[in-house]
Amino acid sequence: MATKKKKPLLSPNAKIFLILLLIPIALMIYIFAFFSWQQIKGLPFFDEFTEKSVYQQIQEQFDLEIPIEYIPVYVSAEQKYGVPWTLLAAHHRVETRFSSLKKLESPVGAEGHMQFMPCTFVGWKHPSCKGLGQGEITEKEKTNPAVIQKYGGYGVDANGDGVADPYDIEDAVYSAANFLSRAGVKEGQIQKAVFQYNHSKKYVQDILHYYNLYTDYGDQLKQLALEEAK
């Protein structure tokens, strides 16, 4: 029994007409999508979202994130003392895990965000300074810029409040930068300066590890942090 041929739903002419009709529609959709995307990219939230994504991608390269609010402090100290901000960040990471420790005081008496021994902060010329450098220094003396200057210490009043406080993040970072600069960084002797900060080869290795790691992303992190701080 012969089967009846099915009639095509659309004739060849109708198919051609439909294709010609769809081409301008597709083109209009493409143009609309393109210009809409350009408009979206121009919105403030888009840049913010992109920047945060880049920042997060960089931070994922580290075992412990660098708190973005500290980077402008490191950068400011770098500008004053010539110590790379990434080196200061490395010290902060190793000394107190970016100040995340519950107690910012070591068993031997090092104090604050960047772990200064009191005699190093105030100055070894202080009459009580000997041994490991704990000294018998009153809190009033310890944070007095005039006393620090008198005894040749490294403590700095970074924020101009009349107090050089190792427990103040700005003062602590500036003091560390002051120490490292005078210990050799300003002459380009970074390894020597780090060893002066802590006489341990393992310590030097750890600091240089983080310093090199942070420096790989230093420019990007600096730009993102400074824009965030505006």
Side-chain angles (χ1 to χ4, degrees):
M1 182 178 175
T3 56
K4 194 174 181 181
K5 258 189 169 183
K6 288 185 179 179
K7 191 175 180 181
L9 293 175
L10 294 173
S11 67
N13 288 338
K15 289 180 180 178
I16 293 172
F17 174 78
L18 186 59
I19 291 170
L20 292 174
L21 181 65
L22 290 174
I23 288 174
I25 294 174
L27 186 60
M28 288 176 64
I29 292 173
Y30 172 80
I31 293 171
F32 176 78
F34 175 80
F35 283 104
S36 296
W37 176 245
Q38 295 301 315
Q39 291 294 321
I40 291 171
K41 287 203 301 183
L43 295 174
F45 83 86
F46 183 87
D47 287 338
E48 183 179 349
F49 174 78
T50 305
E51 287 175 2
K52 285 184 178 178
S53 296
V54 171
Y55 178 75
Q56 198 58 45
Q57 288 173 19
I58 294 172
Q59 292 282 23
E60 287 172 359
Q61 308 305 310
F62 311 146
D63 61 350
L64 189 65
E65 288 191 8
I66 304 175
I68 195 168
E69 66 271 19
Y70 291 150
I71 295 177
V73 180
Y74 305 144
V75 172
S76 180
E78 174 186 46
Q79 292 169 347
K80 183 171 178 63
Y81 293 100
V83 177
W85 79 260
T86 47
L87 181 61
L88 295 169
H91 275 273
H92 198 184
R93 163 64 183 83
V94 172
E95 291 291 355
T96 59
R97 295 178 63 85
F98 298 118
S99 304
S100 65
L101 301 180
K102 288 183 179 180
K103 189 177 181 182
L104 298 180
E105 184 175 336
S106 77
V108 297
E111 299 176 327
H113 298 278
M114 303 298 271
Q115 293 292 280
F116 273 94
M117 293 302 292
C119 287
T120 304
F121 197 80
V122 174
W124 280 85
K125 293 179 183 178
H126 190 281
S128 72
C129 285
K130 58 184 178 180
L132 293 176
Q134 291 174 320
E136 295 178 5
I137 306 170
T138 66
E139 289 301 316
K140 189 174 181 180
E141 281 186 305
K142 193 184 298 179
T143 59
N144 188 327
V147 172
I148 292 170
Q149 184 177 15
K150 176 182 177 181
Y151 293 120
Y154 295 95
V156 174
D157 172 19
N159 53 22
D161 63 356
V163 174
D165 184 0
Y167 292 94
D168 177 272
I169 186 63
E170 290 180 275
D171 291 355
V173 170
Y174 270 60
S175 299
N178 183 27
F179 180 99
L180 290 166
S181 177
R182 289 159 63 181
V185 170
K186 64 182 177 182
E187 285 88 25
Q189 299 179 19
I190 290 179
Q191 189 166 333
K192 173 190 171 185
V194 174
F195 186 76
Q196 290 300 315
Y197 204 98
N198 187 320
H199 294 175
S200 161
K201 290 183 179 179
K202 176 65 166 58
Y203 179 85
V204 174
Q205 290 173 355
D206 289 344
I207 293 292
L208 294 181
H209 164 73
Y210 287 110
Y211 166 58
N212 291 324
L213 179 61
Y214 297 157
T215 299
D216 287 341
Y217 303 95
D219 290 341
Q220 286 177 287
L221 280 172
K222 178 179 175 180
Q223 181 182 354
L224 291 169
L226 294 180
E227 288 177 359
E228 179 75 13
K230 288 180 182 178

